[in-house]
Amino acid sequence: MTDLLIEGRLVCGHPMIRRSVKKKQRGEPVETQVFNDDGSPTTDVYVAIAIPKNGSTDWKTTGWGQQIVGVAMADWPNGEHAANTFAWKITDGDSPVPNKVGKKPMDREGWSGHWVVHCTTRFGLQCFHVGKYDPMLDQIQDKAEIKVGDYARVFINVKGNNPSQSPGVYVNPKMFELSRAGQLIVSESGPNAADVFGGGGQPQGQPATAQHQPAQTPQVPIAPATDFVNGPGTTAAAPPPPPVEPKYVGANGGHFTAAQLSTVGYSPEQIAALPKAP
């Protein structure tokens, strides 16, 4: 286990927003919500930090990468870290290989030219501005002060997940420092609804007067119906009203139609024996 500081750009997730933890149970085709022992839904915090490659061709040769490899070798001493399936929690941002949902790293904004480190914790993540580190006074309280696309330093803890059927390492963020603002990155799932509708801004290309106005259906005058029996220019007579279905006095004095009584098990003979409602 080791602690280290990484620096880069927040390209996915948010250090102050919790997400639901879902897992594919054995034999189930889709992921389902995970729950805590007390029955409450399990949540976590996830951030993806893109670190510039700066000419490196393998993240394992970088200073921070060598520390992560050292942890993997110590916690998985039988060479498990050498397997292609070892879960490093690090993605090559230039990779053309799509992930499980069909997204190629190279096509995602801010990923190309970077090593992307995926950090997850089920605890709260302390967030600070540069130079303001008092845990009682300076912690960032408003999540809107941080956006995807900003630059940050993240203090992480790395340890192996041994024992596990899927060897790998945990990369747990412990503190987040907002270094400087960056260009907003909108995730593949689109912007948050509260950001779009609750912030008072107008969607690009749509005038303000068009917001929240229901679609107007053109009013087309309806011509009177023509009576084709008596000839053009005359109006057809209104159809006669439908016959009133008789009702019967059923249980507790209620009045029911034959169809209603049939749905609850009455036979035609039993219905015929009931008194008709006035």
Side-chain angles (χ1 to χ4, degrees):
M1 180 173 65
T2 190
D3 294 329
L4 65 148
L5 194 64
I6 60 174
E7 184 172 2
R9 189 182 184 195
L10 176 65
V11 292
C12 194
H14 194 287
M16 297 178 66
I17 296 178
R18 303 192 70 87
R19 61 177 188 173
S20 296
V21 175
K22 296 183 178 181
K23 183 178 180 181
K24 185 178 292 187
Q25 306 297 334
R26 182 174 299 177
E28 295 293 329
V30 296
E31 293 182 335
T32 56
Q33 174 69 53
V34 176
F35 293 91
N36 300 318
D37 293 338
D38 61 2
S40 60
T42 302
T43 61
D44 65 10
V45 174
Y46 163 72
V47 293
I49 304 298
I51 302 175
K53 289 185 175 181
N54 292 331
S56 61
T57 57
D58 189 341
W59 65 266
K60 296 183 181 71
T61 64
T62 66
W64 56 269
Q66 290 175 0
Q67 294 185 64
I68 295 176
V69 172
V71 171
M73 295 177 65
D75 292 349
W76 290 97
N78 296 322
E80 293 89 347
H81 68 282
N84 292 332
T85 56
F86 193 83
W88 288 107
K89 307 299 190 299
I90 300 169
T91 300
D92 182 352
D94 292 310
S95 173
V97 180
N99 60 15
K100 293 180 180 179
V101 294
K103 300 293 184 180
K104 298 178 181 179
M106 61 184 294
D107 293 337
R108 302 181 70 169
E109 184 178 351
W111 289 46
S112 181
H114 296 75
W115 305 114
V116 181
V117 182
H118 304 276
C119 315
T120 307
T121 180
R122 294 190 181 181
F123 299 100
L125 184 57
Q126 293 180 314
C127 300
F128 301 91
H129 290 286
V130 175
K132 298 180 179 180
Y133 306 125
D134 189 314
M136 300 299 295
L137 301 176
D138 297 329
Q139 282 197 62
I140 298 175
Q141 303 297 322
D142 185 359
K143 63 179 180 291
E145 295 183 36
I146 303 171
K147 67 180 184 298
V148 182
D150 288 344
Y151 293 85
R153 293 197 300 170
V154 184
F155 185 58
I156 63 175
N157 173 264
V158 182
K159 63 179 179 178
N161 65 347
N162 192 9
S164 172
Q165 294 181 346
S166 301
V169 293
Y170 293 121
V171 180
N172 303 129
K174 300 175 70 174
M175 293 184 186
F176 182 98
E177 179 196 72
L178 178 61
S179 302
R180 59 186 174 89
Q183 182 67 36
L184 172 67
I185 295 176
V186 180
S187 68
E188 290 81 352
S189 59
N192 182 280
D195 295 337
V196 175
F197 301 116
Q202 303 295 336
Q204 293 184 359
Q206 182 178 357
T209 55
Q211 279 197 316
H212 308 304
Q213 293 184 0
Q216 300 296 320
T217 303
Q219 300 298 317
V220 180
I222 301 175
T226 299
D227 186 345
F228 291 99
V229 176
N230 298 321
T234 60
T235 302
V244 178
E245 187 174 358
K247 293 187 176 182
Y248 300 86
V249 180
N252 299 322
H255 297 174
F256 307 94
T257 65
Q260 291 171 328
L261 293 168
S262 296
T263 60
V264 294
Y266 279 74
S267 67
E269 292 77 15
Q270 291 174 317
I271 296 174
L274 293 174
K276 288 189 177 182

